[in-house]
Amino acid sequence: MIPAALLMRADLPDQLFSPADRARLDRLLALAPGTWTSWADASPAALRRTELLVTGWGCPRVGAAELAGLPRLRAVVHTGGSVKDLLDPAVWARGIRVTSSARANAVPVADYTVAMVLLAGKNVLAAAARYRHTLDRRALLTGYPETGNADRTVGLLGASRVGRLVAARLSGLGFRLLCHDPYLDADDARRLGVRPVSLNRLFAEASIVSLHAPLTPDTAGMVGAAELALMPDGGTLINTARAGLLDQDALLVHLRSGRLSAVLDVTDPEPLPLDHPLRELPNVLITPHVAGAQGTELRRLGDQAVQEVERFVDGRPPADPVPAEQLPFLA
C-alpha cells in the first residue's frame, strides 16, 4: 500500500469522506495516523515515507523547504478547488502529479449563481425591501415594469469552469447570454450558447452581470467605475469569484444611489466589518462565501478525490489534473 497522509483542517475529513469513501481510502493507502494540520504534526520519518498527500482547506503550504523533506512524494490530491496558493511551483518542476476537486466544487457555485440570476431578474431584493413597509401588494408589483426573466440579457465575465456550467444551466431558460473571455473562441462560444462580446459591451447590454474570471495580475480590478457606469439602470452585479476582480468602492457609489443592486458572496475584506456601508444597503445581498461546496456538498469533493487516488494507485492517468501551465489562469 502507498504511504500517504491527510493534510487539512482537523474537522474536514469527516465532512469530506462518507464512511464508504473513507473505507475506500483505507483500502488504497497506508494513511498516517490522524490528520496533519501543520507540518509539526508529522515526524521527519513519516514525511520521508509519504508518497501521496490528500490535501484540503486549512492545510499548510507545500513550499520548497517542505518539499525537500518529502523525497518520495509522487502525488498531491487536493479535495478543494484551486491549488494556486497551496503548492510551490517546485512541486510541478519535480514531476509530482497534482489533481483537484475543482470540477465538483464548481457545481454548487453554478447552482448558487443561477438562483441569484433568477431572483435578480424578478427584482426580489428591491421588492422584498419595499414589502417590509407596505400592505399594497398590487402597487408593489406594478412598480417594476421591467421585472421578469423572459428575454433578459445576462452577461458572464469569464468562461471558466463555473462560467460554463452557468451558461449551460441558463441557456435552456430563455436568457440571451453574453460572455467576455479573451480565450473563448467562436466554436466554443457556439457550443456554450453564448455570444462573445467586449468587456464594455457586456456591461452596456446585460442587465445582470455575473463574475467568473480568475484573479490574476491581468484581471485584478477589471470591473471598475467605467464598466459599472455602463450597466443599465436597475441592473444587478453578482460576484461568486474573487473580490479582487471588482472595485468595491466604485460599486458602492452605484449601490448607494439605488441605480444598481448586487449579490456578493466574496468581499474585501472578508468578512466585512459589521459597520461597513455595504451591510446597510437594502439592494445588496452579502453571503458568507457559501456558493462553493458546503455541508452535504462536501461529500462530492471527497468522492472525486477518492476517485483520483484510485486512478493513481491503478496506474491510470488523472481525470482532473492541474498542469503547471494552468497556474497563471487559476482562481
Side-chain angles (χ1 to χ4, degrees):
M1 296 176 71
I2 295 174
L6 301 178
L7 182 68
M8 59 185 69
R9 234 172 44 213
D11 64 313
L12 203 50
D14 287 342
Q15 299 177 61
L16 286 167
F17 305 116
S18 67
D21 277 344
R22 185 55 192 257
R24 287 163 68 196
L25 276 183
D26 289 337
R27 287 195 300 269
L28 294 163
L29 303 173
L31 283 168
T35 301
W36 296 349
T37 60
S38 73
W39 293 115
D41 293 335
S43 68
L47 291 172
R48 286 194 297 270
R49 287 193 300 270
T50 300
E51 297 181 32
L52 184 146
L53 288 173
V54 180
T55 59
W57 294 319
C59 69
R61 190 170 188 273
V62 184
E66 291 76 22
L67 197 59
L70 293 157
R72 297 182 63 186
L73 185 65
R74 294 189 286 143
V76 176
V77 175
H78 188 49
T79 59
S82 177
V83 297
K84 191 171 188 176
D85 297 323
L86 168 64
L87 305 179
D88 191 272
V91 171
W92 285 271
R94 212 174 87 179
I96 293 170
R97 173 166 163 163
V98 178
T99 67
S100 86
S101 292
R103 174 167 51 86
N105 195 48
V107 172
V109 180
D111 291 342
Y112 173 104
T113 301
V114 170
M116 295 305 162
V117 167
L118 294 171
L119 291 175
K122 297 286 281 189
N123 218 2
V124 166
L125 280 178
R130 286 183 60 183
Y131 201 38
R132 291 190 186 100
H133 308 291
T134 181
L135 298 176
D136 189 351
R137 179 174 172 272
R138 184 175 296 277
L140 180 71
L141 295 177
T142 57
Y144 300 97
E146 299 303 318
T147 293
N149 286 311
D151 302 319
R152 185 172 290 279
T153 300
V154 175
L156 305 177
L157 178 50
S160 62
R161 193 188 300 265
V162 174
R164 289 165 183 263
L165 287 176
V166 172
R169 283 157 168 72
L170 292 178
S171 61
L173 298 178
F175 289 96
R176 176 174 175 254
L177 299 178
L178 309 179
C179 183
H180 174 73
D181 188 316
Y183 301 99
L184 181 66
D185 61 37
D187 289 340
D188 212 7
R190 191 161 42 252
R191 284 191 292 270
L192 288 173
V194 303
R195 183 156 64 88
V197 294
S198 67
L199 185 64
N200 284 352
R201 191 165 181 180
L202 183 88
F203 278 87
E205 295 188 16
S207 59
I208 301 172
V209 174
S210 188
L211 309 188
H212 301 291
L215 181 59
T216 70
D218 291 335
T219 63
M222 70 184 301
V223 180
E227 291 74 27
L228 294 168
L230 294 172
M231 285 192 76
D233 290 351
T236 299
L237 183 88
I238 300 171
N239 191 7
T240 59
R242 292 290 185 264
L245 297 171
L246 173 67
D247 183 336
Q248 205 165 264
D249 292 335
L251 176 63
L252 182 59
V253 172
H254 293 275
L255 297 173
R256 276 177 162 159
S257 73
R259 199 182 76 78
L260 300 178
S261 297
V263 176
L264 304 175
D265 191 50
V266 289
T267 58
D268 183 20
E270 192 173 85
L272 288 176
L274 291 175
D275 61 352
H276 194 282
L278 279 173
R279 287 185 179 268
E280 303 168 3
L281 298 173
N283 53 335
V284 183
L285 176 63
I286 301 171
T287 54
H289 209 138
V290 297
Q294 304 290 324
T296 57
E297 296 162 343
L298 292 173
R299 294 290 172 91
R300 297 173 180 168
L301 277 63
D303 182 68
Q304 184 176 344
V306 174
Q307 290 181 46
E308 290 289 7
V309 170
E310 287 175 334
R311 297 178 74 90
F312 179 76
V313 171
D314 293 343
R316 291 179 288 153
D320 287 273
V322 184
E325 55 267 25
Q326 280 188 7
L327 288 178
F329 308 105
L330 293 180

